[in-house]
Amino acid sequence: MRRFLLLTLFSFLFLTKMYGQHADKFAIGFNYGFGNEFKNKDYIFDNHFYKLQVYYNLKENKNIQYQILLQPEINFARHKLLNLYFVKPETADFEEKRITYTQLKKIHEYVLNVGFLVRKPINEKFSVYALGSIGPMITETETERMSEGFAFADVLAIGLCVKVQRFQFDVRPGVRHVSNAGLGDSNSGYNTKNIEFGISYCL
C-alpha cells in the first residue's frame, strides 16, 4: 500500500506542477477493474485493481483527440499453478518448488502506467477511444511464472465514454501482459483479459 501511495503522490505532484499553465487540458478520475487469465492448462490467475487516472490533452480537433494518461495502480491477484510439470526437473529443488507453486497465492502489484489515448467523438456526449500503456511494476510474490520484484505491465484497451457536464463515465475492456523483460530468473509472465469502469472530472 505504501508503494501505491507514493505513486499517487507522484501523480499529484505532476498534476500540481502542470496545472497552473494548462488547467483546461486536464481531467482526473478513478477506475476499478477486474479480470482473469485466458484459459489454459498451466495456471489460474484472477485479479481486481484500482487506478488513479490523470488525463492530459495533447492535441484535438473536431474529429480526433490525443491524450496522455498517467495511471498509478494497485492490483490484487490470485494465482495457482495447475500443471506441476511446468517446473522442470532440471530446476534446482524442483520437487519442493512444485509443492510451493501449486498452492494458491495472493499477489500485490504496484504499477505506474503511462498511456497514449486516441479519442473519437461520436456526438457531444459520447466518444470511443483506443488506449495503449506501459509502465514499471513491483510484484511482492514469486511464482513459477515470474520472479518477485521489478517488472513491466503492458495494456491495450478500447473504451466507451459518456460525458455529463464536466464528468465522464467510462467502460474499458482490454488485455494486459505482465513480465520482467528477462530481468528476473522467471519471465513467463501473465496474460489477462480485463474490464474497467471509471469516472473522471474535467478541470
Side-chain angles (χ1 to χ4, degrees):
M1 182 60 71
R2 183 188 304 174
R3 293 187 178 98
F4 179 67
L5 293 175
L6 289 173
L7 293 175
T8 303
L9 177 61
F10 172 83
S11 301
F12 176 78
L13 292 174
F14 170 80
L15 176 61
T16 302
K17 183 176 179 60
M18 297 292 292
Y19 181 81
Q21 298 178 339
H22 307 282
D24 59 334
K25 292 181 176 289
F26 277 97
I28 186 168
F30 178 82
N31 275 28
Y32 170 76
F34 55 89
N36 53 45
E37 87 290 346
F38 292 90
K39 294 301 181 182
N40 63 78
K41 64 180 181 179
D42 290 329
Y43 70 100
I44 59 171
F45 185 97
D46 58 67
N47 62 316
H48 67 278
F49 50 88
Y50 303 89
K51 294 181 178 179
L52 176 68
Q53 308 278 284
V54 181
Y55 299 85
Y56 177 71
N57 292 340
L58 281 177
K59 183 180 179 180
E60 65 178 301
N61 53 48
K62 65 179 181 179
N63 295 317
I64 297 291
Q65 184 179 39
Y66 302 94
Q67 297 177 305
I68 291 177
L69 179 57
L70 189 66
Q71 301 174 291
E73 170 189 340
I74 182 169
N75 193 303
F76 302 92
R78 298 187 311 156
H79 169 78
K80 183 178 181 180
L81 174 64
L82 298 178
N83 177 16
L84 60 86
Y85 296 105
F86 186 89
V87 181
K88 305 296 184 184
E90 54 267 27
T91 304
D93 303 319
F94 78 95
E95 291 180 328
E96 179 180 344
K97 288 184 177 179
R98 284 178 175 178
I99 295 172
T100 300
Y101 292 152
T102 50
Q103 303 301 309
L104 184 66
K105 297 186 182 331
K106 293 183 178 180
I107 302 173
H108 292 170
E109 299 172 345
Y110 305 93
V111 192
L112 182 58
N113 266 13
V114 179
F116 182 71
L117 188 150
V118 180
R119 186 185 301 275
K120 169 67 175 175
I122 299 173
N123 54 35
E124 292 184 357
K125 287 189 175 183
F126 292 91
S127 64
V128 293
Y129 60 85
L131 166 66
S133 66
I134 186 172
M137 181 187 89
I138 299 294
T139 178
E140 293 184 339
T141 304
E142 178 182 355
T143 72
E144 82 288 350
R145 302 191 66 84
M146 202 165 71
S147 301
E148 177 184 1
F150 188 78
F152 297 94
D154 312 320
V155 175
L156 291 175
I158 57 174
L160 173 65
C161 179
V162 181
K163 189 171 183 179
V164 180
Q165 296 181 352
R166 300 183 73 87
F167 289 94
Q168 294 185 139
F169 300 90
D170 274 280
V171 178
R172 183 188 299 168
V175 294
R176 180 177 187 257
H177 172 71
V178 172
S179 62
N180 59 37
L183 300 176
D185 295 332
S186 301
N187 187 37
S188 296
Y190 311 104
N191 297 296
T192 56
K193 54 187 185 297
N194 302 310
I195 187 165
E196 302 176 35
F197 302 91
I199 182 172
S200 59
Y201 180 79
C202 300
L203 301 178

